[in-house]
Amino acid sequence: MISPTGRPWLDELAASTGRFRDVLAAAEEDDGALDSPVAACPEWDLRALGVHLGQTHLWAAGIVQGADPRQRPRDEPAGQSLSRWYASAAEALRKALAEAGPEAPCWTLVRHQGTALFWQRRQVHETMVHLWDAHHAVGQTAALDPALAFDGVAEVAEVMYPRMLRAKRVEPLPKRLVLTATDVDADPVTIGEAEQAVAVTAPAEQLLLVVWQRIPWRQQMGPAEAESLLSRALVP
């Protein structure tokens, strides 16, 4: 129930969704800011990003409450501001997770993690990456907590990349990636199972953003062959 920062996952969720709501609220006060394009999602502007994240929160809340995961919510703001609608969706998720408790059985993206605790962690990381997107869209920067960011890298290794393989969206990496954070006291994270390995070293935030293809490869991270491996789709 405790995140790598030492805080409960639900506290992390409340903090990250609150910051996302604040970005939306500020954009609503800045004419045209909600139309700002989201670089990592070329088909979206900030408004669409907010709707997507809110719908994702509602989807996860429904799953915890027993809904069919194949049914995606289509809720959108109607007669209220985007920031207020988003805050309501985030609170619905937090409440559903709190009421269920971390050990409540439910469908998840991986068979061996079949409790609501999965969605506590997953929705924090979903929000964290999209919070970076939102800040970037309006020309702002905001540092990510290193421990939380490196756990996001671990989630890619444990959840996202294996899911891409199961869905046959990607071929297995020809060499496994071994990612070491320079600012976190933690074991390296390994993505892939190939016999040969390529080492990548950087601050945790940079590692998270590069595996999610939010920032470009930087030469100081490791050998050139790592760049080609990280250019592959490791996440949906």
Side-chain angles (χ1 to χ4, degrees):
M1 290 185 288
I2 303 300
S3 79
T5 65
R7 296 181 351 137
W9 281 111
L10 289 183
D11 287 353
E12 298 287 4
L13 182 64
S16 60
T17 56
R19 289 193 294 270
F20 191 89
R21 185 210 69 84
D22 290 346
V23 175
L24 294 180
E28 288 167 343
E29 299 298 321
D30 185 356
D31 187 40
L34 286 177
D35 298 323
S36 301
V38 178
C41 310
E43 70 278 16
W44 289 347
D45 56 17
L46 182 56
R47 180 182 290 102
L49 178 67
V51 172
H52 162 77
L53 188 55
Q55 289 176 340
T56 301
H57 292 335
L58 294 172
W59 177 65
I63 289 171
V64 170
Q65 294 168 329
D68 186 337
R70 294 170 295 184
Q71 302 300 316
R72 288 271 184 171
R74 300 298 179 187
D75 305 57
E76 292 193 14
Q80 60 181 317
S81 69
L82 175 59
S83 62
R84 183 172 297 180
W85 173 85
Y86 172 78
S88 176
E91 175 57 19
L93 171 63
R94 191 206 62 76
K95 184 177 180 181
L97 289 168
E99 290 179 349
E103 300 304 321
C106 63
W107 181 88
T108 71
L109 303 180
V110 287
R111 291 180 180 177
H112 65 279
Q113 296 182 27
T115 68
L117 179 60
F118 171 91
W119 290 109
Q120 292 188 20
R121 181 194 190 202
R122 170 87 283 276
Q123 288 298 292
V124 167
H125 290 312
E126 178 85 6
T127 306
M128 181 168 58
V129 171
H130 284 322
L131 178 60
W132 186 92
D133 289 334
H135 278 127
H136 192 257
V138 295
Q140 299 174 355
T141 59
L144 304 180
D145 181 280
L148 203 56
F150 200 51
D151 187 71
V153 177
E155 193 205 35
V156 171
E158 298 165 8
V159 177
M160 296 303 174
Y161 173 67
R163 185 167 179 248
M164 296 288 281
L165 288 178
R166 288 196 305 273
K168 298 183 178 180
R169 296 179 185 175
V170 294
E171 295 294 324
L173 290 171
K175 294 185 180 182
R176 69 184 187 275
L177 289 161
V178 180
L179 302 105
T180 301
T182 58
D183 53 351
V184 176
D185 183 15
D187 292 336
V189 168
T190 299
I191 301 178
E193 299 180 349
E195 182 176 346
Q196 293 184 300
V198 177
V200 179
T201 303
E205 177 176 330
Q206 292 182 20
L207 292 175
L208 177 68
L209 295 176
V210 78
V211 297
W212 277 95
Q213 298 188 348
R214 260 47 181 188
I215 62 172
W217 167 261
R218 299 174 183 179
Q219 288 186 335
Q220 63 267 33
M221 291 179 175
E225 60 183 330
E227 180 179 9
S228 64
L229 295 173
L230 287 165
S231 68
R232 298 175 178 228
L234 304 177
V235 298

